[in-house]
Structure formats: structure tokens, C-alpha cells
PDB file of all heavy atoms in Angstrom:
ATOM      1  N   CYS A  18      -3.644 -11.369  -2.376  1.00  0.00           N
ATOM      2  CA  CYS A  18      -3.863 -12.804  -2.560  1.00  0.00           C
ATOM      3  C   CYS A  18      -2.604 -13.393  -3.171  1.00  0.00           C
ATOM      4  O   CYS A  18      -1.936 -12.746  -3.993  1.00  0.00           O
ATOM      5  CB  CYS A  18      -5.065 -13.040  -3.479  1.00  0.00           C
ATOM      6  SG  CYS A  18      -5.353 -14.777  -3.924  1.00  0.00           S
ATOM      7  N   LEU A  19      -2.245 -14.614  -2.775  1.00  0.00           N
ATOM      8  CA  LEU A  19      -1.088 -15.278  -3.372  1.00  0.00           C
ATOM      9  C   LEU A  19      -1.242 -15.431  -4.878  1.00  0.00           C
ATOM     10  O   LEU A  19      -0.263 -15.538  -5.611  1.00  0.00           O
ATOM     11  CB  LEU A  19      -0.890 -16.656  -2.740  1.00  0.00           C
ATOM     12  CG  LEU A  19      -0.206 -16.712  -1.380  1.00  0.00           C
ATOM     13  CD1 LEU A  19      -0.183 -18.141  -0.864  1.00  0.00           C
ATOM     14  CD2 LEU A  19       1.212 -16.175  -1.459  1.00  0.00           C
ATOM     15  N   PHE A  20      -2.487 -15.462  -5.358  1.00  0.00           N
ATOM     16  CA  PHE A  20      -2.739 -15.730  -6.766  1.00  0.00           C
ATOM     17  C   PHE A  20      -3.164 -14.469  -7.531  1.00  0.00           C
ATOM     18  O   PHE A  20      -3.684 -14.571  -8.638  1.00  0.00           O
ATOM     19  CB  PHE A  20      -3.793 -16.830  -6.887  1.00  0.00           C
ATOM     20  CG  PHE A  20      -3.302 -18.135  -6.338  1.00  0.00           C
ATOM     21  CD1 PHE A  20      -3.492 -18.451  -5.006  1.00  0.00           C
ATOM     22  CD2 PHE A  20      -2.606 -19.027  -7.127  1.00  0.00           C
ATOM     23  CE1 PHE A  20      -3.011 -19.634  -4.475  1.00  0.00           C
ATOM     24  CE2 PHE A  20      -2.117 -20.207  -6.609  1.00  0.00           C
ATOM     25  CZ  PHE A  20      -2.322 -20.521  -5.281  1.00  0.00           C
ATOM     26  N   ALA A  21      -2.926 -13.307  -6.950  1.00  0.00           N
ATOM     27  CA  ALA A  21      -3.183 -12.061  -7.669  1.00  0.00           C
ATOM     28  C   ALA A  21      -2.148 -11.891  -8.782  1.00  0.00           C
ATOM     29  O   ALA A  21      -1.051 -12.449  -8.727  1.00  0.00           O
ATOM     30  CB  ALA A  21      -3.125 -10.883  -6.703  1.00  0.00           C
ATOM     31  N   ASP A  22      -2.489 -11.106  -9.786  1.00  0.00           N
ATOM     32  CA  ASP A  22      -1.582 -10.924 -10.919  1.00  0.00           C
ATOM     33  C   ASP A  22      -0.326 -10.157 -10.531  1.00  0.00           C
ATOM     34  O   ASP A  22       0.745 -10.382 -11.102  1.00  0.00           O
ATOM     35  CB  ASP A  22      -2.295 -10.189 -12.052  1.00  0.00           C
ATOM     36  CG  ASP A  22      -3.363 -11.052 -12.717  1.00  0.00           C
ATOM     37  OD1 ASP A  22      -3.169 -12.280 -12.770  1.00  0.00           O
ATOM     38  OD2 ASP A  22      -4.382 -10.498 -13.160  1.00  0.00           O
ATOM     39  N   ALA A  23      -0.447  -9.243  -9.586  1.00  0.00           N
ATOM     40  CA  ALA A  23       0.709  -8.436  -9.202  1.00  0.00           C
ATOM     41  C   ALA A  23       0.464  -7.805  -7.841  1.00  0.00           C
ATOM     42  O   ALA A  23      -0.672  -7.733  -7.366  1.00  0.00           O
ATOM     43  CB  ALA A  23       0.964  -7.341 -10.239  1.00  0.00           C
ATOM     44  N   GLY A  24       1.566  -7.331  -7.215  1.00  0.00           N
ATOM     45  CA  GLY A  24       1.449  -6.615  -5.961  1.00  0.00           C
ATOM     46  C   GLY A  24       1.084  -5.155  -6.192  1.00  0.00           C
ATOM     47  O   GLY A  24       1.221  -4.618  -7.302  1.00  0.00           O
ATOM     48  N   LEU A  25       0.634  -4.503  -5.145  1.00  0.00           N
ATOM     49  CA  LEU A  25       0.204  -3.108  -5.208  1.00  0.00           C
ATOM     50  C   LEU A  25       1.175  -2.253  -4.395  1.00  0.00           C
ATOM     51  O   LEU A  25       1.490  -2.573  -3.243  1.00  0.00           O
ATOM     52  CB  LEU A  25      -1.221  -2.978  -4.655  1.00  0.00           C
ATOM     53  CG  LEU A  25      -2.247  -3.899  -5.348  1.00  0.00           C
ATOM     54  CD1 LEU A  25      -3.547  -3.940  -4.543  1.00  0.00           C
ATOM     55  CD2 LEU A  25      -2.510  -3.431  -6.765  1.00  0.00           C
ATOM     56  N   ASP A  26       1.652  -1.185  -4.986  1.00  0.00           N
ATOM     57  CA  ASP A  26       2.778  -0.435  -4.439  1.00  0.00           C
ATOM     58  C   ASP A  26       2.403   0.352  -3.184  1.00  0.00           C
ATOM     59  O   ASP A  26       1.446   1.129  -3.178  1.00  0.00           O
ATOM     60  CB  ASP A  26       3.318   0.515  -5.507  1.00  0.00           C
ATOM     61  CG  ASP A  26       4.763   0.899  -5.247  1.00  0.00           C
ATOM     62  OD1 ASP A  26       5.286   0.539  -4.176  1.00  0.00           O
ATOM     63  OD2 ASP A  26       5.377   1.545  -6.110  1.00  0.00           O
ATOM     64  N   LEU A  27       3.191   0.137  -2.107  1.00  0.00           N
ATOM     65  CA  LEU A  27       3.051   0.913  -0.859  1.00  0.00           C
ATOM     66  C   LEU A  27       4.325   1.688  -0.544  1.00  0.00           C
ATOM     67  O   LEU A  27       4.436   2.306   0.519  1.00  0.00           O
ATOM     68  CB  LEU A  27       2.760  -0.028   0.322  1.00  0.00           C
ATOM     69  CG  LEU A  27       1.475  -0.849   0.297  1.00  0.00           C
ATOM     70  CD1 LEU A  27       1.444  -1.769   1.514  1.00  0.00           C
ATOM     71  CD2 LEU A  27       0.252   0.053   0.279  1.00  0.00           C
ATOM     72  N   ARG A  28       5.301   1.669  -1.448  1.00  0.00           N
ATOM     73  CA  ARG A  28       6.625   2.189  -1.110  1.00  0.00           C
ATOM     74  C   ARG A  28       6.615   3.675  -0.754  1.00  0.00           C
ATOM     75  O   ARG A  28       7.335   4.097   0.168  1.00  0.00           O
ATOM     76  CB  ARG A  28       7.588   1.928  -2.264  1.00  0.00           C
ATOM     77  CG  ARG A  28       8.049   0.482  -2.362  1.00  0.00           C
ATOM     78  CD  ARG A  28       8.930   0.242  -3.556  1.00  0.00           C
ATOM     79  NE  ARG A  28       8.182   0.410  -4.801  1.00  0.00           N
ATOM     80  CZ  ARG A  28       8.721   0.233  -5.996  1.00  0.00           C
ATOM     81  NH1 ARG A  28       9.994  -0.106  -6.111  1.00  0.00           N
ATOM     82  NH2 ARG A  28       7.988   0.382  -7.090  1.00  0.00           N
ATOM     83  N   GLU A  29       5.838   4.470  -1.461  1.00  0.00           N
ATOM     84  CA  GLU A  29       5.852   5.903  -1.202  1.00  0.00           C
ATOM     85  C   GLU A  29       5.383   6.207   0.215  1.00  0.00           C
ATOM     86  O   GLU A  29       6.007   6.990   0.948  1.00  0.00           O
ATOM     87  CB  GLU A  29       4.976   6.630  -2.223  1.00  0.00           C
ATOM     88  CG  GLU A  29       4.992   8.141  -2.079  1.00  0.00           C
ATOM     89  CD  GLU A  29       6.385   8.726  -2.235  1.00  0.00           C
ATOM     90  OE1 GLU A  29       7.186   8.162  -3.019  1.00  0.00           O
ATOM     91  OE2 GLU A  29       6.683   9.727  -1.561  1.00  0.00           O
ATOM     92  N   GLU A  30       4.273   5.568   0.634  1.00  0.00           N
ATOM     93  CA  GLU A  30       3.751   5.791   1.987  1.00  0.00           C
ATOM     94  C   GLU A  30       4.716   5.250   3.049  1.00  0.00           C
ATOM     95  O   GLU A  30       4.883   5.855   4.112  1.00  0.00           O
ATOM     96  CB  GLU A  30       2.380   5.131   2.141  1.00  0.00           C
ATOM     97  CG  GLU A  30       1.256   5.788   1.362  1.00  0.00           C
ATOM     98  CD  GLU A  30       1.236   5.419  -0.121  1.00  0.00           C
ATOM     99  OE1 GLU A  30       2.069   4.599  -0.544  1.00  0.00           O
ATOM    100  OE2 GLU A  30       0.375   5.946  -0.839  1.00  0.00           O
ATOM    101  N   ILE A  31       5.345   4.124   2.754  1.00  0.00           N
ATOM    102  CA  ILE A  31       6.299   3.543   3.709  1.00  0.00           C
ATOM    103  C   ILE A  31       7.508   4.453   3.866  1.00  0.00           C
ATOM    104  O   ILE A  31       7.983   4.709   4.979  1.00  0.00           O
ATOM    105  CB  ILE A  31       6.720   2.134   3.249  1.00  0.00           C
ATOM    106  CG1 ILE A  31       5.524   1.178   3.322  1.00  0.00           C
ATOM    107  CG2 ILE A  31       7.870   1.616   4.108  1.00  0.00           C
ATOM    108  CD1 ILE A  31       5.804  -0.199   2.745  1.00  0.00           C
ATOM    109  N   ARG A  32       8.036   4.962   2.744  1.00  0.00           N
ATOM    110  CA  ARG A  32       9.215   5.833   2.783  1.00  0.00           C
ATOM    111  C   ARG A  32       8.939   7.122   3.547  1.00  0.00           C
ATOM    112  O   ARG A  32       9.797   7.621   4.266  1.00  0.00           O
ATOM    113  CB  ARG A  32       9.670   6.153   1.363  1.00  0.00           C
ATOM    114  CG  ARG A  32      10.369   5.000   0.658  1.00  0.00           C
ATOM    115  CD  ARG A  32      10.558   5.291  -0.817  1.00  0.00           C
ATOM    116  NE  ARG A  32      11.302   4.236  -1.489  1.00  0.00           N
ATOM    117  CZ  ARG A  32      11.345   4.075  -2.798  1.00  0.00           C
ATOM    118  NH1 ARG A  32      10.679   4.907  -3.587  1.00  0.00           N
ATOM    119  NH2 ARG A  32      12.043   3.090  -3.330  1.00  0.00           N
ATOM    120  N   ARG A  33       7.726   7.662   3.376  1.00  0.00           N
ATOM    121  CA  ARG A  33       7.391   8.905   4.074  1.00  0.00           C
ATOM    122  C   ARG A  33       7.188   8.681   5.564  1.00  0.00           C
ATOM    123  O   ARG A  33       7.275   9.632   6.352  1.00  0.00           O
ATOM    124  CB  ARG A  33       6.108   9.511   3.477  1.00  0.00           C
ATOM    125  CG  ARG A  33       6.245  10.028   2.066  1.00  0.00           C
ATOM    126  CD  ARG A  33       5.193  11.105   1.761  1.00  0.00           C
ATOM    127  NE  ARG A  33       3.861  10.703   2.170  1.00  0.00           N
ATOM    128  CZ  ARG A  33       2.964  10.167   1.371  1.00  0.00           C
ATOM    129  NH1 ARG A  33       3.272   9.907   0.109  1.00  0.00           N
ATOM    130  NH2 ARG A  33       1.756   9.855   1.807  1.00  0.00           N
ATOM    131  N   GLY A  34       6.910   7.459   5.961  1.00  0.00           N
ATOM    132  CA  GLY A  34       6.663   7.178   7.368  1.00  0.00           C
ATOM    133  C   GLY A  34       5.345   7.731   7.851  1.00  0.00           C
ATOM    134  O   GLY A  34       5.156   7.924   9.061  1.00  0.00           O
ATOM    135  N   ASP A  35       4.429   7.972   6.941  1.00  0.00           N
ATOM    136  CA  ASP A  35       3.123   8.530   7.277  1.00  0.00           C
ATOM    137  C   ASP A  35       2.169   7.362   7.571  1.00  0.00           C
ATOM    138  O   ASP A  35       1.586   6.775   6.654  1.00  0.00           O
ATOM    139  CB  ASP A  35       2.610   9.374   6.113  1.00  0.00           C
ATOM    140  CG  ASP A  35       1.344  10.156   6.458  1.00  0.00           C
ATOM    141  OD1 ASP A  35       0.606   9.721   7.361  1.00  0.00           O
ATOM    142  OD2 ASP A  35       1.091  11.180   5.806  1.00  0.00           O
ATOM    143  N   VAL A  36       2.003   7.055   8.840  1.00  0.00           N
ATOM    144  CA  VAL A  36       1.203   5.890   9.231  1.00  0.00           C
ATOM    145  C   VAL A  36      -0.249   6.044   8.815  1.00  0.00           C
ATOM    146  O   VAL A  36      -0.879   5.102   8.322  1.00  0.00           O
ATOM    147  CB  VAL A  36       1.317   5.650  10.754  1.00  0.00           C
ATOM    148  CG1 VAL A  36       0.404   4.500  11.175  1.00  0.00           C
ATOM    149  CG2 VAL A  36       2.756   5.356  11.134  1.00  0.00           C
ATOM    150  N   ALA A  37      -0.802   7.237   8.994  1.00  0.00           N
ATOM    151  CA  ALA A  37      -2.197   7.460   8.648  1.00  0.00           C
ATOM    152  C   ALA A  37      -2.424   7.277   7.146  1.00  0.00           C
ATOM    153  O   ALA A  37      -3.405   6.661   6.710  1.00  0.00           O
ATOM    154  CB  ALA A  37      -2.633   8.850   9.099  1.00  0.00           C
ATOM    155  N   ALA A  38      -1.514   7.813   6.335  1.00  0.00           N
ATOM    156  CA  ALA A  38      -1.636   7.682   4.884  1.00  0.00           C
ATOM    157  C   ALA A  38      -1.475   6.235   4.454  1.00  0.00           C
ATOM    158  O   ALA A  38      -2.167   5.766   3.537  1.00  0.00           O
ATOM    159  CB  ALA A  38      -0.608   8.568   4.185  1.00  0.00           C
ATOM    160  N   LEU A  39      -0.571   5.539   5.119  1.00  0.00           N
ATOM    161  CA  LEU A  39      -0.363   4.121   4.800  1.00  0.00           C
ATOM    162  C   LEU A  39      -1.606   3.312   5.129  1.00  0.00           C
ATOM    163  O   LEU A  39      -2.037   2.472   4.319  1.00  0.00           O
ATOM    164  CB  LEU A  39       0.841   3.593   5.579  1.00  0.00           C
ATOM    165  CG  LEU A  39       1.184   2.105   5.381  1.00  0.00           C
ATOM    166  CD1 LEU A  39       1.502   1.816   3.920  1.00  0.00           C
ATOM    167  CD2 LEU A  39       2.348   1.712   6.284  1.00  0.00           C
ATOM    168  N   ALA A  40      -2.194   3.562   6.284  1.00  0.00           N
ATOM    169  CA  ALA A  40      -3.410   2.845   6.672  1.00  0.00           C
ATOM    170  C   ALA A  40      -4.542   3.122   5.695  1.00  0.00           C
ATOM    171  O   ALA A  40      -5.275   2.208   5.287  1.00  0.00           O
ATOM    172  CB  ALA A  40      -3.818   3.240   8.090  1.00  0.00           C
ATOM    173  N   GLU A  41      -4.677   4.390   5.283  1.00  0.00           N
ATOM    174  CA  GLU A  41      -5.734   4.749   4.335  1.00  0.00           C
ATOM    175  C   GLU A  41      -5.512   4.076   2.988  1.00  0.00           C
ATOM    176  O   GLU A  41      -6.455   3.587   2.363  1.00  0.00           O
ATOM    177  CB  GLU A  41      -5.774   6.266   4.163  1.00  0.00           C
ATOM    178  CG  GLU A  41      -6.896   6.745   3.243  1.00  0.00           C
ATOM    179  CD  GLU A  41      -6.933   8.261   3.131  1.00  0.00           C
ATOM    180  OE1 GLU A  41      -6.139   8.922   3.815  1.00  0.00           O
ATOM    181  OE2 GLU A  41      -7.760   8.761   2.342  1.00  0.00           O
ATOM    182  N   ARG A  42      -4.259   4.029   2.549  1.00  0.00           N
ATOM    183  CA  ARG A  42      -3.926   3.384   1.273  1.00  0.00           C
ATOM    184  C   ARG A  42      -4.253   1.894   1.319  1.00  0.00           C
ATOM    185  O   ARG A  42      -4.855   1.342   0.394  1.00  0.00           O
ATOM    186  CB  ARG A  42      -2.439   3.589   0.989  1.00  0.00           C
ATOM    187  CG  ARG A  42      -1.857   2.778  -0.158  1.00  0.00           C
ATOM    188  CD  ARG A  42      -2.235   3.330  -1.489  1.00  0.00           C
ATOM    189  NE  ARG A  42      -1.439   2.700  -2.540  1.00  0.00           N
ATOM    190  CZ  ARG A  42      -1.841   2.559  -3.792  1.00  0.00           C
ATOM    191  NH1 ARG A  42      -3.021   3.028  -4.154  1.00  0.00           N
ATOM    192  NH2 ARG A  42      -1.065   1.980  -4.683  1.00  0.00           N
ATOM    193  N   ILE A  43      -3.889   1.227   2.414  1.00  0.00           N
ATOM    194  CA  ILE A  43      -4.166  -0.210   2.547  1.00  0.00           C
ATOM    195  C   ILE A  43      -5.666  -0.460   2.565  1.00  0.00           C
ATOM    196  O   ILE A  43      -6.160  -1.379   1.902  1.00  0.00           O
ATOM    197  CB  ILE A  43      -3.489  -0.775   3.815  1.00  0.00           C
ATOM    198  CG1 ILE A  43      -1.963  -0.746   3.652  1.00  0.00           C
ATOM    199  CG2 ILE A  43      -3.963  -2.200   4.090  1.00  0.00           C
ATOM    200  CD1 ILE A  43      -1.207  -1.143   4.900  1.00  0.00           C
ATOM    201  N   GLN A  44      -6.405   0.345   3.322  1.00  0.00           N
ATOM    202  CA  GLN A  44      -7.857   0.170   3.382  1.00  0.00           C
ATOM    203  C   GLN A  44      -8.490   0.334   2.002  1.00  0.00           C
ATOM    204  O   GLN A  44      -9.394  -0.417   1.616  1.00  0.00           O
ATOM    205  CB  GLN A  44      -8.455   1.176   4.367  1.00  0.00           C
ATOM    206  CG  GLN A  44      -8.158   0.863   5.819  1.00  0.00           C
ATOM    207  CD  GLN A  44      -8.656   1.946   6.768  1.00  0.00           C
ATOM    208  OE1 GLN A  44      -9.012   3.038   6.332  1.00  0.00           O
ATOM    209  NE2 GLN A  44      -8.676   1.646   8.050  1.00  0.00           N
ATOM    210  N   THR A  45      -8.016   1.291   1.240  1.00  0.00           N
ATOM    211  CA  THR A  45      -8.543   1.507  -0.107  1.00  0.00           C
ATOM    212  C   THR A  45      -8.260   0.307  -1.003  1.00  0.00           C
ATOM    213  O   THR A  45      -9.140  -0.163  -1.735  1.00  0.00           O
ATOM    214  CB  THR A  45      -7.931   2.766  -0.727  1.00  0.00           C
ATOM    215  OG1 THR A  45      -8.259   3.898   0.082  1.00  0.00           O
ATOM    216  CG2 THR A  45      -8.456   2.988  -2.137  1.00  0.00           C
ATOM    217  N   LEU A  46      -7.039  -0.202  -0.930  1.00  0.00           N
ATOM    218  CA  LEU A  46      -6.656  -1.333  -1.779  1.00  0.00           C
ATOM    219  C   LEU A  46      -7.406  -2.608  -1.383  1.00  0.00           C
ATOM    220  O   LEU A  46      -7.818  -3.374  -2.246  1.00  0.00           O
ATOM    221  CB  LEU A  46      -5.145  -1.552  -1.690  1.00  0.00           C
ATOM    222  CG  LEU A  46      -4.279  -0.429  -2.285  1.00  0.00           C
ATOM    223  CD1 LEU A  46      -2.805  -0.704  -2.022  1.00  0.00           C
ATOM    224  CD2 LEU A  46      -4.532  -0.285  -3.776  1.00  0.00           C
ATOM    225  N   VAL A  47      -7.571  -2.816  -0.081  1.00  0.00           N
ATOM    226  CA  VAL A  47      -8.305  -3.997   0.368  1.00  0.00           C
ATOM    227  C   VAL A  47      -9.744  -3.958  -0.126  1.00  0.00           C
ATOM    228  O   VAL A  47     -10.332  -4.999  -0.460  1.00  0.00           O
ATOM    229  CB  VAL A  47      -8.250  -4.116   1.909  1.00  0.00           C
ATOM    230  CG1 VAL A  47      -9.230  -5.169   2.407  1.00  0.00           C
ATOM    231  CG2 VAL A  47      -6.841  -4.463   2.362  1.00  0.00           C
TER     232      VAL A  47
END
């Protein structure tokens, strides 16, 4: 949300290039 207190880190999953892990991380955070 634009009005959330802070962003949630995805850098580790992005750096690894693990699409499945990234998708799972996003789903959990959402």
C-alpha cells in the first residue's frame, strides 16, 4: 500500500532468481 509504514524485502529471492520462491514470498506477504 502507498500508505504502509515500510516496504517488505524481496531482494534475496530476486537475487537468487528463484521464481517459485519469489512467488511464494509475495503470496505470503500479500
Side-chain angles (χ1 to χ4, degrees):
C18 174
L19 280 176
F20 295 90
D22 290 328
L25 305 167
D26 203 353
L27 298 176
R28 284 177 294 181
E29 183 60 33
E30 290 79 3
I31 293 174
R32 286 169 176 164
R33 292 204 312 263
D35 188 335
V36 176
L39 179 60
E41 183 178 356
R42 169 76 168 153
I43 292 174
Q44 288 175 347
T45 300
L46 293 175
V47 169

